[in-house]
Amino acid sequence: MKYAPRDFDDVVALIGQNPLCWLVSAGAAGFGASPLPLLAECDAQGRLVSLFGHMATANPQVALLRAQPAALVLVNGPQAYISPELLDNPTWVPTWNYAAAVIHVEVAFVPEETRASIEQLTDRMEQGRARPWTVSDAEARLPRMLPHIIAFRAQVTAIDGRFKLGRDETRRDINAIVGGMGEGPLRDWMTLYNQERLDQEEKA
């Protein structure tokens, strides 16, 4: 991994910030790819062990995954084009910075946990709202909806974190880049990954 994460806690944090991931699989019937919100599940040491989610039973990928459970989860974090306009170095060339991960998984369907998967995702997404919505608010509709949804747990077998965040830039250049960027998640990640090389005003 050329742009490996500092540690795999950063991959867990990236999933938490960007829960809509791509679940990609292949089999004899072809390829499948679905954008799905996923929740990270960690062991007692905080290591990512699985991803929990659900999909529509009508999704053709259900059959693909039942036949071939090996799949990839693509985590798409913040990204941006970095222009030479930010620097006063005439030889510097443009680049693209990003935080992302490719997670190898084995998918198992757990229909008995379908309601739990919906409740856990909803509770996570509703955190911090003045009047959080809960699944029980739609209790009357659930008997009609649940048969058309199925939960799954994607057991993690390998993680390829890709955090291209300016660690290969010179101290002078990374200060100019971060100092010239607008506020946002990518700048936050770049600041985190270069904090020992950034001048105090760029960290602020």
Side-chain angles (χ1 to χ4, degrees):
M1 294 186 290
K2 183 176 180 182
Y3 301 111
R6 301 173 309 163
D7 54 55
F8 287 109
D9 289 347
D10 286 348
V11 176
V12 174
L14 191 70
I15 297 166
Q17 294 172 11
N18 305 273
L20 187 69
C21 305
W22 281 94
L23 179 63
V24 181
S25 60
F31 293 91
S34 301
L36 300 166
L38 301 177
L39 297 176
E41 296 182 323
C42 300
D43 63 14
Q45 286 72 48
R47 293 174 298 199
L48 180 67
V49 294
S50 57
L51 295 158
F52 190 38
H54 56 269
M55 64 173 68
T57 56
N59 188 332
Q61 199 171 8
V62 172
L64 284 175
L65 289 164
R66 280 180 166 148
Q68 172 53 267
L72 294 176
V73 171
L74 308 182
V75 186
N76 298 304
Q79 52 78 32
Y81 170 77
I82 308 298
S83 171
E85 180 182 46
L86 298 174
L87 300 96
D88 59 3
N89 180 352
T91 64
W92 196 85
V93 297
T95 190
W96 214 287
N97 281 2
Y98 53 84
V102 179
I103 304 174
H104 298 249
V105 298
E106 294 280 334
V107 175
F109 288 100
V110 284
E112 69 279 8
E113 296 186 60
T114 296
R115 176 166 179 149
S117 74
I118 299 169
E119 288 177 336
Q120 288 182 34
L121 179 64
T122 302
D123 291 347
R124 178 74 60 83
M125 295 300 105
E126 290 287 326
Q127 282 180 357
R129 296 182 183 274
R131 297 173 58 192
W133 187 88
T134 66
V135 172
S136 59
D137 291 335
E139 197 69 46
R141 295 185 59 193
L142 292 180
R144 298 193 303 275
M145 296 176 64
L146 288 176
H148 303 287
I149 304 168
I150 188 166
F152 64 88
R153 180 167 282 106
Q155 205 72 28
V156 174
T157 58
I159 301 174
D160 177 4
R162 305 182 186 187
F163 289 67
K164 186 176 181 295
L165 298 167
R167 286 176 287 176
D168 49 354
E169 305 291 351
T170 67
R171 185 183 185 112
R172 179 182 179 184
D173 287 350
I174 192 61
N175 273 275
I177 292 168
V178 172
M181 294 176 68
E183 293 184 1
L186 182 61
R187 187 181 190 274
D188 293 343
W189 277 103
M190 291 180 66
T191 299
L192 183 65
Y193 268 62
N194 296 281
Q195 54 189 334
E196 73 287 351
R197 302 193 300 141
L198 292 177
D199 298 336
Q200 205 59 36
E201 58 267 24
E202 310 307 352
K203 295 181 185 180

